[in-house]
Amino acid sequence: MLSVLLDSANGAANAGGTAGMFTMVLWLVILFGVMYFLMIRPQKKEQKKKDAMLSEVAIGDTVLTTSGFYGTIIDLQDDTVIVEFGNNKNCRIPMAKSAIADVEKLEDAAAAATAVVEDKAEEKKGLFGKKKKDAE
């Protein structure tokens, strides 16, 4: 009779241990899933976005480098670009494409410049749309 009670107690402990092991594995899978969606997936999306941006780089685009310099692309090769910095047109530096942090397309820059000119023209108008007289 005692052996029957011990055998049933061991069976219950083994069943509880198996359930505990299953619960622990389930929590590990859930933890990995959460880490994937919070850390790995956004990083992959950002990398795809950067790869698409670098593949669309063209001559004449204004770029921001990872070191914080703004320049204009004057030549493209496979993995390198030649960027012109400054106004004197003599500072041309070859650099890796991966060192480009942001790209402003030539067309976008022209549209932004015209928008700024239009904004300045509207600033000259006074109350009720009348033009202000320039005080000279």
Side-chain angles (χ1 to χ4, degrees), residues 5 33 39 67 70 72 83-84 86 94 117 120 127:
L5 287 175
M39 297 174 72
S67 57
Y70 288 94
T72 305
V83 181
E84 184 175 71
V117 169
K120 285 187 179 182
L127 190 59

Side-chain angles (χ1 to χ4, degrees), residues 62-72 83-86 91 93 95 99-102:
T62 301
V63 296
L64 171 66
T65 64
T66 54
S67 57
F69 293 111
Y70 288 94
T72 305
V83 181
E84 184 175 71
F85 298 100
C91 185
I93 299 174
M95 57 192 311
I100 296 174
D102 194 19

Side-chain angles (χ1 to χ4, degrees), residues 34-102:
V34 168
M35 284 182 55
Y36 175 78
F37 281 105
L38 291 179
M39 297 174 72
I40 297 170
R41 189 166 176 240
Q43 186 177 9
K44 284 184 179 182
K45 286 175 76 175
E46 188 68 28
Q47 185 64 37
K48 283 183 183 179
K49 200 163 119 178
K50 184 173 181 178
D51 290 342
M53 176 191 66
L54 292 178
S55 67
E56 294 175 359
V57 169
I59 294 174
D61 290 346
T62 301
V63 296
L64 171 66
T65 64
T66 54
S67 57
F69 293 111
Y70 288 94
T72 305
I73 295 177
I74 59 171
D75 192 21
L76 285 169
Q77 286 139 8
D78 293 334
D79 291 335
T80 59
V81 293
I82 298 178
V83 181
E84 184 175 71
F85 298 100
N87 292 332
N88 65 359
K89 308 290 185 200
N90 288 328
C91 185
R92 297 176 177 180
I93 299 174
M95 57 192 311
K97 261 189 182 180
S98 60
I100 296 174
D102 194 19

